[in-house]
Amino acid sequence: MEAPHGGPAAETVPETAGTTAPEPAGAVPEAVEVTLAVTSPEQMQDLGRRLAQVLAPGDLVMLTGELGAGKTTLTRGLGEGLGVRGAVTSPTFVIARVHPSLTGGPALVHVDAYRLGGGLDEMEDLDLDVSLPESVVVVEWGDGKVEELADDRLRVLIDRAKGDTDDERREVTLVGIGARWAGLRADLA
């Protein structure tokens, strides 16, 4: 599951790698990138459980991937790893769900920003800035909408096999932005 694709498993890259809206030069914090191969929904959920072990209150996780890529499956694993209450399902129609911890750890706030067109202004009603310090906030479809919530954040890009296939293979790229994520590669070892 941890097999790297195309070279070293981690390297320092600017945040703009793989994004469509780069920040102005000089404003981009350094980032650490780790790419993993995932071949089944069970492995995606297991990756979520492993990631949960390195998450802490105040962490912002942004998930990017097409419909059916595995964003909610990964979040389900995060919920299991964090020991939260309630089944983690897609929050598409409710926009956000809060899953309190059963173990004294951080709550999981799971947001689906797909139907939200604007940036952070439109998301203010969700009070994510209030929830973030004591929770782990996971935002599906959050690129271009929630970056202002935290200087340090984890972007998770999920790419599925292209073409006419029902293949479950995914390439998951974790981009840890900011000092908080400097040890990302070691944390996942």
Side-chain angles (χ1 to χ4, degrees):
M1 174 152 116
E2 293 183 282
H5 284 270
E11 57 190 79
T12 301
V13 296
E15 175 187 3
T16 56
T19 65
T20 57
E23 294 182 37
V28 180
E30 285 297 310
V32 175
E33 184 174 305
V34 178
T35 300
L36 306 167
V38 174
T39 60
S40 69
E42 294 79 21
Q43 284 187 351
M44 186 68 76
Q45 200 161 334
D46 182 59
L47 175 59
R49 285 189 292 270
R50 289 180 44 223
L51 279 174
Q53 301 310 305
V54 301
L55 293 174
D59 283 342
L60 173 63
V61 180
M62 298 167 46
L63 304 180
T64 300
E66 64 184 42
L67 290 171
K71 297 178 298 296
T72 300
T73 301
L74 179 76
T75 307
R76 189 172 298 119
L78 288 172
E80 288 175 10
L82 290 170
V84 300
R85 185 179 69 208
V88 175
T89 59
S90 178
T92 299
F93 297 104
V94 295
I95 309 295
R97 284 195 169 95
V98 177
H99 298 274
S101 176
L102 295 171
T103 63
L108 172 66
V109 178
H110 185 197
V111 179
D112 187 329
Y114 183 75
R115 294 185 302 136
L116 302 176
L120 193 56
D121 291 341
E122 190 170 331
M123 302 208 45
E124 272 188 10
D125 289 340
L126 299 177
D127 288 331
L128 294 180
D129 55 336
V130 173
S131 300
L132 188 58
E134 68 272 354
S135 304
V136 170
V137 176
V138 176
V139 183
E140 296 186 25
W141 306 98
D143 282 348
K145 298 175 183 174
V146 297
E147 289 86 348
E148 295 174 28
L149 284 174
D151 290 334
D152 294 348
R153 56 197 173 274
L154 181 63
R155 291 184 69 230
V156 180
L157 305 127
I158 305 172
D159 291 315
R160 35 186 316 179
K162 304 290 187 232
D164 186 21
T165 179
D166 59 358
D167 197 325
E168 297 294 339
R169 288 177 297 152
R170 305 290 191 264
E171 182 176 275
V172 180
T173 304
L174 308 168
V175 182
I177 300 150
R180 158 76 175 96
W181 299 103
L184 181 61
R185 181 178 182 191
D187 289 344
L188 291 176

